[in-house]
Amino acid sequence: MPTNDSFAISIDLDQNEVSLVVGVLQHAADECRAAAPSPAATDQHDGITLGRLTARWTDIAEHELHCAVVKLHGERLFTVPLTSEGWYQVRAALSACVAQLSGELKGSSPVDAPARNRMRHALHLAHKIAEATNER
């Protein structure tokens, strides 16, 4: 999934945000796996697919590919370039994660704090991406 630099939007993310995106995309890809792809899906070679997007983010997290990485005060910061369509799909996956977790947490106990934190972080990151992509 190459990005044309003239259309890429770069967003700075920390290690936790990159890990969150990878986890959310992997979950979304697992949920969407079909037994056999439709002929229309196999004919599209240039579009962004959830599988390609997940593989790209896995490369970012595991191998620091497709991005620029700097260390600042001992923390790794990733500058990730994607097209607006790619960021839209990341945002959609984060929003779906928030919706799923909010449904699971209705009437939950304080023991569910990790899920609440994940939901809060996903919502915050979706907002951060929306702000960054709307500025362009």
Side-chain angles (χ1 to χ4, degrees):
M1 184 180 75
T3 44
N4 181 337
D5 288 339
S6 63
F7 297 111
I9 299 168
S10 294
I11 299 177
D12 297 328
L13 306 171
D14 65 27
Q15 179 68 49
N16 291 333
E17 291 169 327
V18 169
S19 296
L20 176 62
V21 170
V22 170
V24 166
L25 288 174
Q26 286 175 341
H27 178 75
D30 289 345
E31 296 266 321
C32 292
R33 295 212 195 285
S38 69
T42 57
D43 289 342
Q44 299 173 357
H45 298 290
D46 294 332
I48 295 175
T49 65
L50 191 54
R52 287 182 190 156
L53 195 59
T54 303
R56 181 181 186 92
W57 279 91
T58 301
D59 282 348
I60 290 169
E62 294 179 359
H63 307 291
E64 298 180 355
L65 298 174
H66 317 294
C67 64
V69 181
V70 296
K71 282 195 172 187
L72 183 65
H73 306 293
E75 183 178 335
R76 291 185 329 187
L77 299 175
F78 297 75
T79 301
V80 181
L82 283 180
T83 62
S84 58
E85 180 185 356
W87 284 119
Y88 175 82
Q89 289 198 20
V90 170
R91 237 178 49 230
L94 288 165
S95 296
C97 173
V98 169
Q100 179 183 6
L101 287 171
S102 66
E104 292 173 4
L105 291 173
K106 286 185 180 177
S108 64
S109 66
V111 176
D112 296 322
R116 287 187 193 283
N117 286 337
R118 182 176 167 91
M119 183 177 71
R120 191 180 88 251
H121 291 293
L123 186 60
H124 172 74
L125 184 52
H127 180 72
K128 177 179 177 177
I129 292 168
E131 283 185 339
T133 56
N134 286 334
E135 291 176 2
R136 309 290 193 273

